[in-house]
Amino acid sequence: MAGGFRLFKIYGITISIDFTWFIVFFLFSWSLAYGYYPSEVPGHTVGAYLVMGSISAFMLFVCVLIHELSHSVTSNKLGVEVKEITLFIFGGVAQLTREPDTPAKELKIAVMGPVASGILALIFYLISIILVNLEVSGPVLSVIKFLSLINVVLLVFNMIPGLPLDGGRILKALWWMKSGNINTATSAAGHVGRAFATFLIFLGFLQMLSGNFSGGLWAILIGVFLMQAAKSSVQHQQLEYGLEGLTVGDIMTEAPHVITVDISDKLDRVVDDKFFHYHFVSFPVMNQGAPVGLLSINAVRNAGRDSWPTTNVLQVMEPLTRNNCLSPGDSVMAALIAMNSTGQGRYVVLKQDTLYGVLSRRDILKTIDFKGRLAGTETKNGASGAG
Ligand SMILES: [Zn+2]
């Protein structure tokens, strides 16, 4: 999802557009202008069809945006913060910082998108009826009819009950309400999502074999995308579950056990004594007992091997700032999000400007693994107890 750019901000939410959307915009306008509209309203110029196709594709974008905003505005109202929406092929992805913490919230957020698409379909349908009564026909009427139809398609497609689609989120919420277990609910909705994606890919191949090459290709592309998204929905849930309620202080390596380097050490000594010995990617830097920076293996490499004997740690370290430190009370989920966005795998933990510990991505992954194993035994015990 890296290839895109920001369009504007509305209700405090940044709207971004993925580059794939431009390909879709072009293909969509083209297929409407050369296929759909000439057969719906014959007898117009190619130019007229192209205008109709482009307006329809643009309005599809607006409708998808309204659908996504309906989810996100609801989400923000319920306290599940959404800061950015990225629009791509046939929909959008709202970047949640956290998942909803109750099934009722999940359900409300999921339902609002299809509701918006349904209302849009109805509005365009009513407009088309008014136009017919005013005896307006031709291009304007057929564009309005098409917009009503495409919103019905968006509604139906999104209601398929597999993650990451809205129907999948609704299924997850209902299952979660009934069972009280968000993990089984998520994996069930994830399985349906993957089954649907597999079906779509299969259908795509069949269509291609029967001669409908472009239609088949679309089905396969959407299927592959949904498959990926279904997997990552489930993984994200496992992560949230594994890290729920944990703070940095709970799982960090505590200060007495942290290996540090001194500000005046020469790099060749640090490479031999620290990096090769302990195999960490970075070390906290100390100056007279106080933490002042972080020395990463990348900084050492960038300094160049020839200069190691004459360069000291101070010259290449990254000074500690608010952005590259953690506090013991920070949530582990927030720490992981920070690690993913900065690419830095090890953070210094400070308490009142003294070195309190170090937290690495490896510590977090070990915790998730450990909690996953514990959860497995819990379920088994629970089942035998109930039986
Ligand atoms: Zn939706």
Side-chain angles (χ1 to χ4, degrees):
M1 290 290 141
F5 63 88
R6 290 176 176 191
L7 285 181
F8 53 87
K9 212 169 174 174
I10 183 166
Y11 297 114
I13 303 162
T14 306
I15 310 298
S16 300
I17 188 163
D18 189 77
F19 287 124
T20 54
W21 205 86
F22 289 97
I23 304 169
V24 175
F25 182 85
F26 174 76
L27 286 176
F28 205 71
S29 312
W30 187 82
S31 69
L32 287 175
Y34 287 91
Y36 179 78
Y37 282 127
S39 69
E40 277 291 300
V41 271
H44 292 274
T45 61
V46 174
Y49 290 132
L50 281 172
V51 171
M52 290 162 76
S54 318
I55 289 174
S56 307
F58 176 75
M59 285 307 291
L60 169 67
F61 166 80
V62 174
C63 292
V64 167
L65 183 61
I66 292 171
H67 175 113
E68 291 307 323
L69 275 174
S70 307
H71 287 304
S72 303
V73 169
T74 313
S75 189
N76 282 337
K77 266 188 200 155
L78 295 172
V80 185
E81 207 182 6
V82 177
K83 285 180 182 159
E84 188 170 355
I85 299 174
T86 306
L87 292 164
F88 64 97
I89 308 188
F90 274 106
V93 176
Q95 266 113 32
L96 292 183
T97 42
R98 295 193 71 85
E99 295 277 338
D101 55 2
T102 67
K105 284 184 190 175
E106 174 87 57
L107 187 64
K108 280 179 198 156
I109 295 167
V111 160
M112 285 317 285
V115 165
S117 293
I119 291 174
L120 284 169
L122 197 67
I123 289 173
F124 286 115
Y125 178 69
L126 291 175
I127 294 174
S128 76
I129 291 191
I130 293 168
L131 288 177
V132 169
N133 279 324
L134 294 174
E135 293 181 357
V136 176
S137 60
V140 176
L141 180 65
S142 62
V143 169
I144 296 293
K145 273 185 177 170
F146 171 77
L147 290 174
S148 177
L149 179 74
I150 198 74
N151 277 293
V152 172
V153 172
L154 281 177
L155 169 68
V156 171
F157 182 72
N158 273 294
M159 284 306 286
I160 290 162
L163 284 176
L165 298 168
D166 298 334
R169 297 188 67 182
I170 293 170
L171 173 66
K172 172 185 159 185
L174 295 176
W175 194 304
W176 181 8
M177 260 176 208
K178 220 169 173 283
S179 69
N181 188 333
I182 183 174
N183 287 301
T184 51
T186 308
S187 76
H191 278 302
V192 179
R194 285 162 75 165
F196 172 66
T198 310
F199 172 71
L200 213 57
I201 294 168
F202 174 72
L203 207 69
F205 276 114
L206 275 188
Q207 274 188 301
M208 276 176 129
L209 285 177
S210 68
N212 183 0
F213 187 82
S214 67
L217 191 65
W218 275 120
I220 292 170
L221 286 178
I222 295 172
V224 169
F225 171 79
L226 287 178
M227 181 72 84
Q228 281 305 113
K231 278 182 193 165
S232 70
S233 302
V234 174
Q235 278 164 357
H236 190 255
Q237 173 52 40
Q238 285 165 343
L239 208 64
E240 285 253 336
Y241 174 75
L243 300 179
E244 197 187 331
L246 280 180
T247 63
V248 169
D250 295 333
I251 67 166
M252 67 175 194
T253 305
E254 283 166 41
H257 310 292
V258 171
I259 312 295
T260 60
V261 298
D262 194 83
I263 199 162
S264 59
D265 288 343
K266 291 283 184 277
L267 293 188
D268 57 347
R269 226 194 92 194
V270 170
V271 170
D272 286 342
D273 295 354
K274 302 289 162 86
F275 283 103
F276 277 128
H277 194 81
Y278 296 102
H279 303 127
F280 292 134
V281 290
S282 61
F283 292 92
V285 180
M286 306 296 280
N287 183 19
Q288 296 175 338
V292 289
L294 194 72
L295 180 70
S296 70
I297 195 156
N298 290 341
V300 172
R301 188 193 56 214
N302 292 342
R305 189 177 283 267
D306 296 340
S307 70
W308 286 355
T310 54
T311 308
N312 62 29
V313 170
L314 175 66
Q315 289 168 281
V316 298
M317 73 172 198
E318 186 187 332
L320 292 185
T321 64
R322 197 173 282 269
N323 292 328
N324 60 12
C325 294
L326 295 169
S327 300
D330 290 341
S331 82
V332 176
M333 193 65 200
L336 187 64
I337 289 168
M339 284 177 188
N340 286 343
S341 69
T342 60
Q344 196 155 288
R346 247 179 141 224
Y347 271 67
V348 173
V349 183
L350 295 183
K351 193 179 186 184
Q352 282 142 10
D353 291 333
T354 61
L355 181 67
Y356 196 61
V358 159
L359 183 74
S360 67
R361 195 189 307 253
R362 214 185 308 174
D363 296 330
I364 300 177
L365 296 179
K366 262 194 268 175
T367 307
I368 294 166
D369 181 55
F370 190 67
K371 277 205 126 185
R373 283 162 199 253
L374 273 181
T377 55
E378 265 171 28
T379 335
K380 272 178 212 148
N381 291 343
S384 66

Coordinates of all heavy atoms in Angstrom, one line a residue, residues 67-68 71 110 113-114 158 166, ligand 1:
H67 N -18.9 5.7 1.0 CA -19.0 4.4 1.7 C -17.9 4.3 2.8 O -18.2 4.0 3.9 CB -18.9 3.3 0.6 CG -18.8 1.9 1.2 ND1 -19.8 1.0 1.0 CD2 -17.9 1.3 2.0 CE1 -19.5 -0.2 1.6 NE2 -18.3 0.0 2.2
E68 N -16.7 4.6 2.4 CA -15.6 4.5 3.3 C -15.7 5.5 4.5 O -15.4 5.2 5.6 CB -14.2 4.6 2.6 CG -13.9 3.5 1.7 CD -14.0 2.1 2.3 OE1 -13.6 2.0 3.5 OE2 -14.4 1.2 1.7
H71 N -18.0 4.4 7.2 CA -17.3 3.5 8.2 C -16.5 4.3 9.2 O -16.5 4.2 10.4 CB -16.3 2.5 7.5 CG -17.0 1.4 6.7 ND1 -17.9 0.6 7.3 CD2 -16.8 1.0 5.4 CE1 -18.2 -0.3 6.3 NE2 -17.6 -0.1 5.2
A110 N -19.1 -1.8 10.7 CA -19.2 -2.6 9.5 C -20.4 -2.3 8.7 O -20.4 -2.2 7.5 CB -19.1 -4.0 9.8
G113 N -21.1 1.2 6.1 CA -20.7 1.3 4.7 C -21.8 0.8 3.7 O -22.2 1.6 2.8
P114 N -22.3 -0.4 3.9 CA -23.3 -0.9 3.0 C -24.6 -0.1 3.1 O -25.3 0.1 2.1 CB -23.6 -2.3 3.6 CG -22.3 -2.7 4.1 CD -21.7 -1.5 4.7
N158 N -19.9 -6.1 -1.0 CA -19.4 -5.8 0.3 C -20.1 -6.7 1.4 O -19.6 -6.9 2.5 CB -19.5 -4.4 0.7 CG -18.2 -3.6 0.2 OD1 -17.1 -3.8 0.7 ND2 -18.4 -2.7 -0.7
D166 N -17.2 -6.1 4.3 CA -18.0 -5.6 5.4 C -18.9 -6.8 6.0 O -19.1 -6.9 7.2 CB -19.0 -4.5 4.9 CG -18.2 -3.3 4.5 OD1 -17.1 -3.1 5.0 OD2 -18.7 -2.5 3.7
Ligands
ZN1 ZN -17.2 -1.2 3.5

